[in-house]
Amino acid sequence: RNSQALIIGVIHLEHHTHESNTRGEALVICMCSRLFATSLRSACPIQCCTLFIGGGQRQLIPHSSAVYGDPPQRLLGYSAVRRKQQRHSAVVTAGMDTDFQALQPLVQRIHDSPSQTVIYATGGGIQALTWLLTVPGASRTILEARVPYACGALAALLGGKAPQTSASAQTAQDIAEAAFQSAATLAPFGVPLIGLGCSCALATDRAKKGDHKVVVSARSVNGCTTWAVKLEKGARTRTEEDAIASRMLVLLLLQEAGVQPPAGLTGLTPGRDGEVEVLHDGAPLDPLQSLLEGKVRSVEYAGGQVVVDAPRGGNRVYLPGSFNPLHDGHRQLLAAGVRAAGGGAEGCYELSVGNPDKGMLPLDEIKRRVQPFIESNIPLVVVQAPLFTDKAKLYPGATFVVGYDTGVRLVNPDYYGGGEGMILQFTELASAGCNFLVAGRVDNGSFRTLADVAVSATLQQLDLFTTISEEDFRLDISSTQLRQQAEQADGQH
């Protein structure tokens, strides 16, 4: 025969009630036993049946099956052999249910924690996704779950580079890092983040030369923790090995969520399976020093968390500044920017430790400027990105809120060596999905906005600038003036 296709259509769904007993739902299943053989004029016979489900029984009623050839029971798999396979499948399902029952209270504790996670699993650990998503409250914890199974899918996840070995500690750690970066983009500031990765080599439908092994890894603000184990080869089915990987994934997530996992729940057999190897790569002892050394891209302070090397783009509004000192005008300006951006945008301050004209800030000075944000529990990200094109690479899709003086410099071609250089820079910003909100200020007795500044027609076409209205924000004092007032007050004392 030529290729066969199964077309399932829910034509009618109806309850029949008689003496308070539900007969069940009627589903009409239409099956096309042959596709067009050689041309569009070829016959396409249809086989139909009705499947009644109710009272714990199934009844398959064929319609004119003799006319249309093969009985629908055969096409649906209702043969004696298939029923035997289904009984075996029921045993496997029962085993999966046992795993779920043992882990359900622990999954509930994960969902009750403040942590949010992204999970990427390849080669195994797939049952863990079902267990985690089946327990109520999963939406509080699970931000995203993906199975990049094909080599190309895994390579795309890891930035286009395929791993040399799919089931290894390095691959699992790279997957966990990718998950952590995604979690940073999806979760709000101040939430504990966990990126979970799973990389396995399990039993399959052919003889496997290498070891059967499970590697799970978790990336959090505390660093990266990895569990790796070799399984006894040929001792378990694929489903049973996947259950072990899934258990390890859930237990590692439980640990990262702050709950010590109970012993003996991995499903491993001592003496038959290998010992679990535990690897831990801690977070930098001094993340700001690592930033100055160029080892990390960003250090974020929010909600008591220190998130290292996970800059967040997307629907966020950043207020860059020196914050020397941080004052109420900064708070008002960021709040006005968030209101102007709309759409549930989050606000965050950004301190760049590098300046094209002044060089790098000393470590002690950076810590001094960061301290007020920590004490006030205000989101701040510290970066080494003095130019807005640098910032756009860190925060694609973000909005930057700036004052009038900065806005005027941004649209001045002299700062770019000419108009062509300026357009190239702003085209790069536009490609990253970034834009600007510009606040006005008093200049020579008049309140001025970016509308008072001549901007080239080409730059206007990029549509990157929006003015914050005077009604929404106006502050007639600068950080420099506040700093001078503070210095004068100190001198009088």
Side-chain angles (χ1 to χ4, degrees):
R1 289 196 171 191
N2 296 308
S3 299
Q4 294 184 345
L6 176 66
I7 305 173
I8 302 177
V10 181
I11 309 300
H12 190 58
L13 209 154
E14 180 180 18
H15 289 277
H16 299 277
T17 303
H18 177 66
E19 295 180 354
S20 301
N21 293 324
T22 302
R23 181 181 179 186
E25 298 91 351
L27 294 92
V28 178
I29 303 178
C30 301
M31 290 167 290
C32 178
S33 63
R34 284 200 300 267
L35 293 175
F36 295 103
T38 56
S39 69
L40 293 176
R41 294 188 298 273
S42 299
C44 188
I46 300 297
Q47 295 176 328
C48 298
C49 65
T50 302
L51 178 63
F52 290 98
I53 306 172
Q57 297 181 348
R58 301 179 180 182
Q59 183 181 9
L60 193 66
I61 304 176
H63 303 291
S64 305
S65 60
V67 176
Y68 296 109
D70 289 341
Q73 289 97 326
R74 185 178 301 171
L75 292 176
L76 280 175
Y78 276 75
S79 63
V81 175
R82 187 62 177 173
R83 284 195 294 269
K84 182 178 179 180
Q85 292 174 343
Q86 288 174 338
R87 285 195 295 270
H88 170 72
S89 177
V91 173
V92 174
T93 304
M96 294 171 63
D97 291 342
T98 301
D99 287 322
F100 176 68
Q101 291 170 6
L103 293 173
Q104 186 172 2
L106 303 181
V107 173
Q108 188 63 64
R109 297 190 69 179
I110 292 172
H111 293 337
D112 290 340
S113 77
S115 301
Q116 293 190 336
T117 183
V118 169
I119 304 172
Y120 297 148
T122 184
I126 311 305
Q127 295 174 57
L129 305 183
T130 300
W131 300 340
L132 289 167
L133 295 172
T134 301
V135 177
S139 60
R140 295 193 300 269
T141 305
I142 309 300
L143 296 167
E144 181 186 12
R146 288 170 56 186
V147 183
Y149 219 76
C151 293
L154 183 57
L157 178 71
L158 300 180
K161 184 178 179 180
Q164 293 182 348
T165 305
S166 58
S168 67
Q170 185 61 58
T171 300
Q173 290 163 5
D174 291 343
I175 294 173
E177 180 63 34
F180 186 79
Q181 297 295 326
S182 181
T185 299
L186 297 172
F189 291 112
V191 172
L193 305 176
I194 302 171
L196 212 57
C198 180
S199 177
C200 303
L202 305 181
T204 184
D205 57 358
R206 60 191 180 278
K208 183 171 287 187
K209 295 181 180 180
D211 294 322
H212 293 195
K213 52 188 174 182
V214 175
V215 189
V216 294
S217 187
R219 160 79 153 91
S220 69
V221 295
N222 299 317
C224 187
T225 299
T226 304
W227 295 350
V229 66
K230 292 182 180 179
L231 305 179
E232 182 184 9
K233 204 168 180 179
R236 300 179 180 90
T237 65
R238 168 77 180 211
T239 302
E240 291 167 340
E241 289 188 350
D242 185 85
I244 291 176
S246 298
R247 282 170 170 258
M248 291 177 63
L249 201 61
V250 171
L251 293 172
L252 181 56
L253 177 57
L254 181 71
Q255 175 179 286
E256 293 300 314
V259 181
Q260 184 61 35
L265 286 182
T266 59
L268 296 169
T269 304
R272 291 169 51 189
D273 300 307
E275 295 290 330
V276 177
E277 182 181 5
V278 179
L279 307 172
H280 183 71
D281 184 11
L285 296 177
D286 191 337
L288 290 175
Q289 180 63 46
S290 296
L291 177 70
L292 287 175
E293 295 173 355
K295 295 179 180 178
V296 300
R297 298 168 296 166
S298 63
V299 181
E300 174 192 297
Y301 299 87
Q305 304 284 314
V306 182
V307 180
V308 179
D309 205 26
R312 310 180 193 228
N315 190 26
R316 291 182 170 90
V317 177
Y318 288 95
L319 172 58
S322 60
F323 308 113
N324 186 29
L326 172 68
H327 56 76
D328 194 54
H330 292 129
R331 297 183 179 89
Q332 293 179 29
L333 179 54
L334 182 57
V338 170
R339 289 193 298 271
E346 281 190 294
C348 182
Y349 300 88
E350 189 226 53
L351 171 64
S352 180
V353 300
N355 186 294
D357 302 319
K358 302 178 182 178
M360 303 288 287
L361 287 173
L363 180 61
D364 290 343
E365 178 62 20
I366 297 171
K367 292 182 177 180
R368 184 187 70 80
R369 298 190 190 187
V370 166
Q371 192 59 36
F373 291 90
I374 297 176
E375 294 173 353
S376 303
N377 196 24
I378 299 173
L380 169 72
V381 60
V382 186
V383 296
Q384 195 179 147
L387 303 178
F388 279 100
T389 48
D390 298 328
K391 302 179 193 298
K393 295 174 183 176
L394 296 177
Y395 327 116
T399 296
F400 302 106
V401 56
V402 298
Y404 173 79
D405 292 343
T406 300
V408 170
R409 289 195 298 271
L410 280 173
V411 298
N412 186 348
D414 294 339
Y415 281 89
Y416 306 88
E420 183 177 344
M422 181 181 71
I423 295 302
L424 287 174
Q425 294 267 353
F426 279 112
T427 300
E428 186 175 341
L429 286 162
S431 298
C434 297
N435 60 88
F436 295 89
L437 293 167
V438 184
R441 79 167 179 87
V442 174
D443 183 32
N444 294 326
S446 300
F447 187 82
R448 299 185 180 276
T449 68
L450 202 59
D452 300 312
V453 181
V455 178
S456 70
T458 304
L459 188 55
Q460 291 180 24
Q461 290 176 357
L462 291 175
D463 194 25
L464 295 178
F465 294 92
T466 301
T467 298
I468 298 176
S469 68
E470 181 180 359
E471 293 74 20
D472 205 17
F473 176 81
R474 174 170 176 168
L475 186 69
D476 298 338
I477 190 168
S478 66
S479 296
T480 301
Q481 293 171 313
L482 287 172
R483 188 164 56 252
Q484 291 172 347
Q485 292 176 3
E487 291 171 352
Q488 292 174 359
D490 290 340
Q492 293 175 357
H493 292 296

